């Protein structure tokens, strides 16, 4: 009798999993050793595994988009002085048939800087315009804000796609649509981003907000160069502003700097 051994190995902490995950990965490597001809060993490839998982996740998200599993939830924006609801922010959710509601942080990072991010972004724009059209037909004049990634904003046909989407709903007042750009993501080519923002405002009549302001590294540069209609101060400054005098002073400083700027 001749006995041979096929061995699968995974290395911690490079493979960062619990004990069950590590054993499963080692087991997968053992089967790879057998498939390669037996009587040998194979190490678990964490990089390849992550690539495979990402491909699987992208496929699942693409299928979810095709199967209409995404939905927009609308969070009210309230004037705290008058109590009036003047607008809403569209928040995407994945309504998974088995897992239930999946929050955006569980799937949006997986599609960053991919074609799927652009496709999902265009879907959000279209869905928000459908809702705007329905509300305006009911006599509700609400502003709808949607989050746009920097990658999507700088895609080659962003302005063209936005124009076509607005053209499908001629009764919608484009001034009621606001694009929110995360301030920390606007660290690319400021001239390009600034040009796109101005085109959105001056040609299409769409408003632009700079979200998470103050959390980035170049906030004052962005305030000066990005012609935003609205600046949304990052929640890290707002949450404790009634108890923390430093946060309150920071917010007052940002407001005083923003007031003299045109359109803000």
């Amino acid at each position: 009798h001749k006995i041979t051994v096929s061995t699968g190995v995974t290395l911690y902490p490079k493979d960062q999993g619990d004990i069950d995950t590590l054993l499963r990965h080692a087991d997968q490597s053992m089967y790879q050793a057998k498939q390669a001809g037996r009587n040998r060993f194979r190490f678990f490839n964490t990089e390849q595994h992550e690539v495979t998982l990402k491909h699987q996740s992208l496929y699942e998200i693409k299928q979810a988009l095709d199967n209409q599993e995404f939905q927009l939830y609308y969070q009210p924006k309230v004037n705290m002085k008058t109590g009036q609801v003047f607008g809403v922010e569209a928040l995407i959710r994945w309504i998974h048939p088995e897992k239930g509601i999946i929050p955006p942080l569980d799937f949006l990072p997986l599609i960053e800087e991919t074609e799927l991010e652009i496709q999902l972004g265009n879907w959000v724009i279209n869905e928000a315009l459908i809702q705007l059209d329905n509300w305006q037909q009911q006599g509700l004049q609400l502003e709808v804000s949607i989050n746009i990634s920097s990658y999507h904003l700088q895609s080659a046909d962003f302005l063209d796609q936005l124009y076509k989407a607005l053209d499908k709903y001629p009764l919608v007042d484009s001034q009621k649509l606001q694009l929110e750009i995360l301030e920390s993501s606007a660290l690319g080519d400021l001239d390009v981003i600034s040009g796109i923002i101005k085109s959105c405002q001056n040609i299409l009549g769409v408003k632009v907000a700079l979200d998470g302001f103050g959390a980035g590294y170049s906030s004052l540069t962005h305030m000066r160069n990005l012609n935003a209609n609205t600046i949304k101060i990052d929640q890290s400054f707002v949450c404790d502003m009634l108890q923390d005098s430093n946060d309150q002073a920071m917010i007052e400083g940002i407001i005083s700097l923003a007031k003299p700027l045109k359109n803000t």
Side-chain angles (χ1 to χ4, degrees):
H1 297 282
K2 182 181 180 181
I3 299 175
T4 62
V5 177
S6 299
T7 304
V9 182
T10 190
L11 299 176
Y12 180 88
K14 185 176 183 181
D15 184 3
Q16 295 184 348
D18 56 27
I19 186 65
D20 292 330
T21 302
L22 295 174
L23 288 172
R24 187 172 66 253
H25 289 171
D27 199 42
Q28 291 174 11
S29 300
M30 179 194 66
Y31 282 108
Q32 291 174 0
K34 288 183 176 182
Q35 291 170 1
R38 300 177 181 275
N39 193 27
R40 61 196 67 208
F41 61 89
R42 284 289 184 270
F43 282 97
F44 183 75
N45 189 326
T46 54
E47 291 82 4
Q48 183 60 44
H49 182 66
E50 289 173 0
V51 170
T52 301
L53 285 179
K54 183 168 184 178
H55 285 164
Q56 291 175 348
S57 299
L58 289 176
Y59 176 77
E60 290 179 7
I61 296 170
K62 180 65 169 65
Q63 288 295 106
L65 185 58
D66 294 340
N67 296 335
Q68 300 180 345
E69 296 175 10
F70 290 104
Q71 186 174 331
L72 292 184
Y73 283 38
Y74 295 94
Q75 178 175 280
K77 296 194 290 187
V78 182
N79 184 319
M80 297 301 289
K81 288 185 177 180
T82 65
Q84 178 187 8
V85 177
F86 65 91
V88 295
E89 181 177 355
L91 306 172
I92 191 169
R93 297 293 185 269
W94 181 358
I95 314 301
H96 196 281
E98 298 175 358
K99 302 176 182 177
I101 299 178
I102 300 178
L105 286 178
D106 287 352
F107 62 88
L108 289 184
L110 299 173
I111 64 172
E112 284 182 357
E113 299 190 1
T114 68
E115 180 61 28
L116 190 53
E117 184 177 42
I118 295 174
Q119 293 175 18
L120 193 59
N122 287 331
W123 176 87
V124 170
I125 291 173
N126 190 70
E127 288 296 306
L129 287 172
I130 291 174
Q131 187 62 70
L132 257 177
D133 190 45
N134 290 337
W135 278 335
Q136 289 192 183
Q137 290 184 39
Q138 297 173 40
L140 296 174
Q141 299 299 318
L142 294 173
E143 176 185 85
V144 175
S145 301
I146 57 176
N147 295 286
I148 297 294
S149 72
S150 178
Y151 183 77
H152 185 193
L153 185 74
Q154 297 179 77
S155 59
D157 59 350
F158 174 77
L159 289 172
D160 186 50
Q161 290 294 327
L162 181 57
Y163 170 78
K164 289 179 180 178
L166 288 166
D167 195 47
K168 287 166 59 178
Y169 306 97
L171 298 180
V172 170
D173 180 3
S174 61
Q175 288 282 323
K176 296 298 183 182
L177 182 66
Q178 183 178 72
L179 308 180
E180 291 195 5
I181 305 164
L182 191 63
E183 192 259 335
S184 59
S185 72
L187 296 174
D189 191 328
L190 279 180
D191 290 336
V192 172
I193 296 176
S194 177
I196 296 170
I197 288 175
K198 288 178 181 178
S199 295
C200 288
Q201 295 167 323
N202 300 332
I203 299 176
L204 302 180
V206 173
K207 293 183 177 179
V208 175
L210 205 55
D211 194 9
F213 187 83
Y217 295 104
S218 306
S219 297
L220 293 180
T221 300
H222 292 159
M223 182 186 287
R224 182 186 65 183
N225 295 319
L226 301 180
N227 192 37
N229 303 97
T230 301
I231 289 177
K232 295 179 65 176
I233 300 172
D234 189 73
Q235 63 176 344
S236 61
F237 299 110
V238 176
C239 288
D240 297 321
M241 66 179 181
L242 298 181
Q243 291 79 33
D244 192 320
S245 59
N246 289 330
D247 283 349
Q248 185 175 353
M250 184 73 70
I251 291 173
E252 290 175 351
I254 293 173
I255 293 173
S256 64
L257 285 171
K259 277 184 177 179
L261 297 178
K262 184 180 179 182
N263 296 330
T264 302

